[in-house]
Amino acid sequence: MLDSLIFPDDTSTVKSSVAQPVFGGTGGSRGSDLSRAALTAFAPVAWGTTYIVTTELLPAGHPLFAGLLRALPAGLIALVITRTLPRGAWWGKAAILGVLNIGLFFPLLFIAAERLPGGVAGTLAAAQPLVVAVLAVAVLHERPSAWRMAWGAIGLSGVGLVVLGPAAGLDAVGIAAGLGGAASMALGLTLTKRWGRPAGVTPTAFAGWQLTAGGVFLLPLTIFAEGAPPSIDLPAALGYLWLGLFGGLVAYVLWFRGVTTLPVNSVAILTLFSPLVAATLGAVLLGQTLGAVQLTGFGLSLAAIVAGQLPAPVRRPGTFPAFVTKEISR
Protein backbone atom coordinates (compact mmCIF):
# COMPACT_ATOMS: atom_id res chain seq x y z
CA MET A 1 0.00 0.00 0.00
CA LEU A 2 2.66 2.52 1.07
CA ASP A 3 4.85 1.53 -1.88
CA SER A 4 2.06 2.14 -4.39
CA LEU A 5 1.48 5.61 -2.93
CA ILE A 6 5.15 6.64 -2.99
CA PHE A 7 6.20 4.80 -6.17
CA PRO A 8 3.03 4.49 -8.31
CA ASP A 9 4.94 3.79 -11.56
CA ASP A 10 8.03 2.11 -10.19
CA THR A 11 8.34 -1.55 -11.08
CA SER A 12 11.42 -1.86 -8.87
CA THR A 13 9.10 -2.21 -5.88
CA VAL A 14 8.30 -5.74 -6.95
CA LYS A 15 11.64 -6.79 -8.37
CA SER A 16 14.99 -7.67 -6.93
CA SER A 17 16.98 -4.48 -6.63
CA VAL A 18 20.56 -5.56 -7.27
CA ALA A 19 23.17 -2.86 -7.83
CA GLN A 20 22.78 -1.36 -11.27
CA PRO A 21 24.89 1.17 -13.16
CA VAL A 22 23.86 4.77 -13.27
CA PHE A 23 22.78 6.69 -16.35
CA GLY A 24 22.06 4.33 -19.15
CA GLY A 25 22.53 0.62 -19.65
CA THR A 26 20.29 -1.54 -17.55
CA GLY A 27 20.17 0.99 -14.78
CA GLY A 28 17.63 3.30 -16.42
CA SER A 29 17.68 6.73 -18.01
CA ARG A 30 19.45 9.73 -16.58
CA GLY A 31 16.11 11.38 -15.85
CA SER A 32 14.78 8.40 -13.90
CA ASP A 33 18.00 8.15 -11.89
CA LEU A 34 17.85 11.84 -10.99
CA SER A 35 14.19 11.51 -9.95
CA ARG A 36 15.09 8.55 -7.74
CA ALA A 37 17.95 10.56 -6.23
CA ALA A 38 15.53 13.41 -5.51
CA LEU A 39 13.14 11.04 -3.70
CA THR A 40 16.03 9.44 -1.81
CA ALA A 41 17.18 12.89 -0.70
CA PHE A 42 13.97 13.24 1.32
CA ALA A 43 15.51 10.90 3.91
CA PRO A 44 18.56 13.00 4.88
CA VAL A 45 16.44 16.15 4.63
CA ALA A 46 13.98 14.66 7.16
CA TRP A 47 16.88 13.50 9.34
CA GLY A 48 18.18 17.07 9.33
CA THR A 49 15.10 18.09 11.34
CA THR A 50 16.03 15.72 14.16
CA TYR A 51 18.21 18.22 16.04
CA ILE A 52 15.61 20.99 16.28
CA VAL A 53 12.77 18.55 17.04
CA THR A 54 14.84 16.92 19.78
CA THR A 55 15.99 20.16 21.41
CA GLU A 56 12.72 22.08 21.11
CA LEU A 57 9.99 19.44 21.53
CA LEU A 58 11.28 16.29 23.20
CA PRO A 59 12.05 15.76 26.90
CA ALA A 60 15.75 16.16 27.64
CA GLY A 61 17.97 13.31 28.75
CA HIS A 62 16.28 10.48 26.85
CA PRO A 63 18.02 10.23 23.46
CA LEU A 64 17.87 6.43 23.32
CA PHE A 65 14.14 6.48 24.02
CA ALA A 66 13.74 8.91 21.12
CA GLY A 67 15.73 6.57 18.88
CA LEU A 68 13.66 3.61 20.02
CA LEU A 69 10.37 5.36 19.22
CA ARG A 70 11.80 6.43 15.88
CA ALA A 71 12.63 2.86 14.89
CA LEU A 72 10.53 0.14 16.53
CA PRO A 73 6.93 1.41 16.02
CA ALA A 74 7.71 2.36 12.40
CA GLY A 75 9.21 -1.07 11.77
CA LEU A 76 6.25 -2.90 13.27
CA ILE A 77 3.80 -0.77 11.27
CA ALA A 78 5.69 -1.63 8.08
CA LEU A 79 5.54 -5.34 8.92
CA VAL A 80 1.79 -5.15 9.57
CA ILE A 81 1.21 -3.28 6.29
CA THR A 82 3.30 -5.61 4.13
CA ARG A 83 2.85 -8.91 6.01
CA THR A 84 6.26 -9.92 4.72
CA LEU A 85 8.95 -11.51 6.89
CA PRO A 86 12.53 -12.40 5.95
CA ARG A 87 13.25 -15.88 4.69
CA GLY A 88 16.33 -18.04 5.07
CA ALA A 89 19.60 -16.13 5.19
CA TRP A 90 17.74 -12.83 5.15
CA TRP A 91 16.89 -13.18 8.85
CA GLY A 92 20.58 -12.74 9.63
CA LYS A 93 21.19 -10.14 6.91
CA ALA A 94 18.23 -8.03 8.03
CA ALA A 95 19.48 -8.15 11.63
CA ILE A 96 22.99 -7.08 10.61
CA LEU A 97 21.72 -4.23 8.44
CA GLY A 98 19.24 -3.11 11.10
CA VAL A 99 21.95 -2.92 13.75
CA LEU A 100 24.44 -1.09 11.48
CA ASN A 101 22.00 1.34 9.86
CA ILE A 102 19.81 2.04 12.90
CA GLY A 103 20.45 0.19 16.17
CA LEU A 104 24.17 0.96 16.49
CA PHE A 105 24.09 4.23 14.56
CA PHE A 106 21.47 5.92 16.78
CA PRO A 107 23.25 5.60 20.16
CA LEU A 108 26.61 6.60 18.66
CA LEU A 109 24.92 9.61 17.04
CA PHE A 110 23.36 10.68 20.34
CA ILE A 111 26.61 10.20 22.30
CA ALA A 112 28.39 12.44 19.81
CA ALA A 113 25.57 14.99 19.99
CA GLU A 114 25.74 15.09 23.80
CA ARG A 115 29.53 15.32 24.12
CA LEU A 116 30.31 17.58 21.16
CA PRO A 117 28.98 20.86 19.81
CA GLY A 118 26.43 20.27 17.04
CA GLY A 119 28.83 21.61 14.44
CA VAL A 120 31.58 19.12 15.28
CA ALA A 121 29.11 16.20 15.40
CA GLY A 122 27.60 17.25 12.06
CA THR A 123 31.01 17.49 10.42
CA LEU A 124 32.01 14.02 11.63
CA ALA A 125 28.75 12.61 10.26
CA ALA A 126 29.50 14.28 6.92
CA ALA A 127 32.59 12.08 6.61
CA GLN A 128 30.32 9.20 5.61
CA PRO A 129 30.69 9.68 1.80
CA LEU A 130 34.47 9.32 2.13
CA VAL A 131 34.08 6.15 4.20
CA VAL A 132 31.65 4.75 1.62
CA ALA A 133 34.07 5.56 -1.21
CA VAL A 134 36.71 3.42 0.54
CA LEU A 135 34.27 0.61 1.40
CA ALA A 136 32.99 0.53 -2.19
CA VAL A 137 36.48 -0.55 -3.23
CA ALA A 138 36.93 -3.08 -0.41
CA VAL A 139 33.42 -4.55 -0.25
CA LEU A 140 31.87 -3.93 -3.67
CA HIS A 141 35.17 -4.30 -5.57
CA GLU A 142 34.61 -1.06 -7.43
CA ARG A 143 37.55 0.77 -8.97
CA PRO A 144 38.88 3.65 -6.85
CA SER A 145 37.33 6.92 -7.98
CA ALA A 146 39.28 10.14 -7.54
CA TRP A 147 36.12 11.96 -8.66
CA ARG A 148 34.05 10.55 -5.76
CA MET A 149 36.81 11.04 -3.21
CA ALA A 150 37.43 14.64 -4.29
CA TRP A 151 33.78 15.66 -4.16
CA GLY A 152 33.33 13.82 -0.87
CA ALA A 153 36.20 15.86 0.59
CA ILE A 154 34.77 19.08 -0.86
CA GLY A 155 31.36 18.28 0.63
CA LEU A 156 32.91 17.54 4.03
CA SER A 157 34.82 20.84 3.89
CA GLY A 158 31.63 22.67 2.95
CA VAL A 159 29.73 21.22 5.91
CA GLY A 160 32.62 22.18 8.17
CA LEU A 161 32.40 25.78 6.98
CA VAL A 162 28.64 25.81 7.62
CA VAL A 163 28.53 24.33 11.10
CA LEU A 164 31.95 24.73 12.74
CA GLY A 165 32.69 27.83 14.77
CA PRO A 166 35.68 29.16 16.70
CA ALA A 167 34.16 27.90 19.97
CA ALA A 168 33.85 24.31 18.76
CA GLY A 169 35.21 22.03 21.46
CA LEU A 170 36.70 18.56 21.12
CA ASP A 171 36.10 15.46 23.24
CA ALA A 172 37.84 12.16 22.55
CA VAL A 173 34.83 9.97 23.38
CA GLY A 174 32.51 12.22 21.37
CA ILE A 175 34.82 12.20 18.36
CA ALA A 176 35.14 8.41 18.53
CA ALA A 177 31.36 8.08 18.71
CA GLY A 178 30.83 10.47 15.80
CA LEU A 179 33.31 8.68 13.58
CA GLY A 180 31.96 5.31 14.73
CA GLY A 181 28.43 6.35 13.81
CA ALA A 182 29.52 7.51 10.36
CA ALA A 183 31.43 4.26 9.84
CA SER A 184 28.50 2.13 11.07
CA MET A 185 25.99 3.67 8.69
CA ALA A 186 28.54 3.69 5.85
CA LEU A 187 29.15 -0.06 6.29
CA GLY A 188 25.41 -0.69 6.55
CA LEU A 189 24.82 1.29 3.36
CA THR A 190 27.57 -0.58 1.52
CA LEU A 191 26.33 -4.01 2.64
CA THR A 192 22.78 -3.03 1.68
CA LYS A 193 24.10 -2.28 -1.78
CA ARG A 194 26.04 -5.55 -1.95
CA TRP A 195 23.16 -7.77 -0.82
CA GLY A 196 20.44 -5.84 -2.68
CA ARG A 197 16.77 -6.35 -1.91
CA PRO A 198 15.24 -9.86 -2.22
CA ALA A 199 13.02 -10.53 -5.22
CA GLY A 200 9.37 -9.78 -4.51
CA VAL A 201 10.11 -7.74 -1.37
CA THR A 202 8.86 -4.14 -1.47
CA PRO A 203 10.85 -1.16 -0.14
CA THR A 204 8.39 -0.84 2.76
CA ALA A 205 8.92 -4.45 3.85
CA PHE A 206 12.69 -4.11 3.44
CA ALA A 207 12.75 -0.95 5.57
CA GLY A 208 10.42 -2.61 8.09
CA TRP A 209 12.82 -5.49 8.64
CA GLN A 210 15.69 -3.14 9.43
CA LEU A 211 13.70 -0.68 11.53
CA THR A 212 12.34 -3.54 13.63
CA ALA A 213 15.77 -5.16 14.02
CA GLY A 214 17.29 -1.82 14.99
CA GLY A 215 14.46 -1.13 17.44
CA VAL A 216 14.77 -4.55 19.07
CA PHE A 217 18.51 -3.92 19.45
CA LEU A 218 17.82 -0.52 21.06
CA LEU A 219 15.13 -1.76 23.47
CA PRO A 220 17.39 -3.33 26.16
CA LEU A 221 19.95 -0.53 25.77
CA THR A 222 17.24 2.05 26.41
CA ILE A 223 15.87 0.23 29.47
CA PHE A 224 19.35 -0.28 30.93
CA ALA A 225 20.69 3.23 30.26
CA GLU A 226 17.60 5.41 30.75
CA GLY A 227 15.18 3.39 32.87
CA ALA A 228 11.53 4.42 32.85
CA PRO A 229 10.32 6.47 29.88
CA PRO A 230 9.73 10.21 30.36
CA SER A 231 6.34 11.87 30.61
CA ILE A 232 5.10 12.94 27.19
CA ASP A 233 3.13 16.14 26.64
CA LEU A 234 1.46 17.22 23.39
CA PRO A 235 4.56 18.89 21.81
CA ALA A 236 6.65 15.83 22.64
CA ALA A 237 3.98 13.53 21.18
CA LEU A 238 4.01 15.54 17.95
CA GLY A 239 7.80 15.41 17.90
CA TYR A 240 7.88 11.65 18.35
CA LEU A 241 5.19 11.28 15.69
CA TRP A 242 7.25 13.31 13.22
CA LEU A 243 10.44 11.40 13.95
CA GLY A 244 8.72 8.02 13.76
CA LEU A 245 6.49 8.57 10.74
CA PHE A 246 8.47 10.89 8.48
CA GLY A 247 11.97 10.63 9.95
CA GLY A 248 11.55 6.89 10.39
CA LEU A 249 9.10 4.95 8.21
CA VAL A 250 8.80 7.19 5.13
CA ALA A 251 12.44 8.30 5.20
CA TYR A 252 13.86 4.79 5.46
CA VAL A 253 11.53 3.37 2.80
CA LEU A 254 12.83 6.03 0.39
CA TRP A 255 16.42 5.65 1.63
CA PHE A 256 16.70 1.88 1.26
CA ARG A 257 14.91 1.99 -2.09
CA GLY A 258 17.51 4.52 -3.27
CA VAL A 259 20.41 2.50 -1.86
CA THR A 260 19.35 -0.61 -3.79
CA THR A 261 18.67 1.17 -7.11
CA LEU A 262 21.33 3.91 -7.33
CA PRO A 263 25.15 3.90 -7.18
CA VAL A 264 26.27 3.70 -3.58
CA ASN A 265 28.49 6.79 -3.73
CA SER A 266 25.68 8.87 -5.25
CA VAL A 267 23.42 7.92 -2.33
CA ALA A 268 26.09 8.43 0.34
CA ILE A 269 26.81 12.02 -0.63
CA LEU A 270 23.12 12.88 -0.21
CA THR A 271 23.70 12.61 3.56
CA LEU A 272 25.30 16.06 3.35
CA PHE A 273 21.74 17.41 3.27
CA SER A 274 21.26 16.57 6.97
CA PRO A 275 23.69 19.08 8.52
CA LEU A 276 22.70 21.67 5.91
CA VAL A 277 19.01 21.33 6.79
CA ALA A 278 19.84 21.44 10.50
CA ALA A 279 21.82 24.67 10.01
CA THR A 280 19.04 26.21 7.89
CA LEU A 281 16.37 25.43 10.48
CA GLY A 282 18.58 26.87 13.19
CA ALA A 283 18.88 30.11 11.23
CA VAL A 284 15.19 30.34 10.31
CA LEU A 285 13.54 29.16 13.53
CA LEU A 286 16.14 29.86 16.23
CA GLY A 287 17.69 33.06 14.89
CA GLN A 288 21.16 31.57 14.41
CA THR A 289 23.32 33.58 12.01
CA LEU A 290 24.71 32.34 8.70
CA GLY A 291 27.50 34.58 7.45
CA ALA A 292 29.55 34.65 4.27
CA VAL A 293 31.69 31.70 5.36
CA GLN A 294 28.62 29.56 6.07
CA LEU A 295 27.02 30.49 2.75
CA THR A 296 30.24 29.55 0.96
CA GLY A 297 30.12 26.20 2.73
CA PHE A 298 26.52 25.76 1.60
CA GLY A 299 27.59 26.33 -2.00
CA LEU A 300 30.43 23.83 -1.79
CA SER A 301 28.22 21.18 -0.19
CA LEU A 302 25.42 21.61 -2.73
CA ALA A 303 27.97 21.43 -5.56
CA ALA A 304 29.30 18.17 -4.10
CA ILE A 305 25.78 16.73 -3.88
CA VAL A 306 25.04 17.60 -7.51
CA ALA A 307 28.43 16.33 -8.72
CA GLY A 308 27.86 13.10 -6.82
CA GLN A 309 24.85 12.36 -9.05
CA LEU A 310 26.85 12.79 -12.25
CA PRO A 311 29.15 10.23 -13.87
CA ALA A 312 32.87 10.83 -13.52
CA PRO A 313 34.36 12.43 -16.63
CA VAL A 314 35.88 9.79 -18.88
CA ARG A 315 38.79 10.53 -21.22
CA ARG A 316 39.16 8.33 -24.24
CA PRO A 317 42.40 6.35 -24.49
CA GLY A 318 45.04 8.21 -26.45
CA THR A 319 43.45 11.62 -25.94
CA PHE A 320 44.81 14.57 -24.02
CA PRO A 321 43.22 17.36 -22.02
CA ALA A 322 42.07 20.33 -24.06
CA PHE A 323 44.91 22.62 -22.99
CA VAL A 324 47.50 20.01 -24.10
CA THR A 325 45.82 19.61 -27.48
CA LYS A 326 45.84 23.38 -27.94
CA GLU A 327 49.57 23.62 -27.22
CA ILE A 328 50.40 20.79 -29.64
CA SER A 329 48.41 22.45 -32.45
CA ARG A 330 50.53 25.62 -32.21
Side-chain angles (χ1 to χ4, degrees), residues 49 52-54 56-59 69 232-247:
T49 67
I52 195 166
V53 170
T54 301
E56 300 301 314
L57 298 179
L58 304 187
L69 286 193
I232 300 175
D233 56 14
L234 180 59
L238 293 175
Y240 287 127
L241 179 63
W242 168 263
L243 290 178
L245 181 59
F246 294 100

Side-chain angles (χ1 to χ4, degrees), residues 88-259:
W90 268 102
W91 281 101
K93 291 180 179 180
I96 292 172
L97 295 179
V99 169
L100 290 173
N101 286 318
I102 295 162
L104 186 59
F105 172 69
F106 280 1
L108 290 174
L109 174 68
F110 288 129
I111 290 172
E114 287 183 352
R115 301 184 69 101
L116 297 171
V120 178
T123 303
L124 293 175
Q128 185 187 139
L130 292 176
V131 180
V132 169
V134 174
L135 290 175
V137 177
V139 178
L140 303 179
H141 308 296
E142 294 184 0
R143 295 182 61 183
S145 173
W147 172 268
R148 304 296 184 195
M149 292 292 292
W151 282 110
I154 291 172
L156 174 61
S157 301
V159 169
L161 290 176
V162 173
V163 299
L164 286 179
L170 300 179
D171 174 87
V173 175
I175 290 175
L179 291 175
S184 174
M185 192 170 183
L187 180 57
L189 189 157
T190 307
L191 289 177
T192 303
K193 187 65 177 179
R194 180 183 177 114
W195 292 335
R197 175 162 35 98
V201 174
T202 66
T204 300
F206 192 57
W209 297 352
Q210 298 189 49
L211 286 165
T212 302
V216 169
F217 178 83
L218 278 171
L219 182 59
L221 291 180
T222 303
I223 295 173
F224 176 77
E226 297 181 357
S231 59
I232 300 175
D233 56 14
L234 180 59
L238 293 175
Y240 287 127
L241 179 63
W242 168 263
L243 290 178
L245 181 59
F246 294 100
L249 181 58
V250 175
Y252 277 103
V253 167
L254 292 168
W255 180 251
F256 289 130
R257 181 252 195 177
V259 171

Side-chain angles (χ1 to χ4, degrees), residues 298-317:
F298 258 96
L300 289 174
S301 299
L302 292 176
I305 291 170
V306 172
Q309 310 312 310
L310 301 176
V314 178
R315 195 174 70 221
R316 295 178 180 177

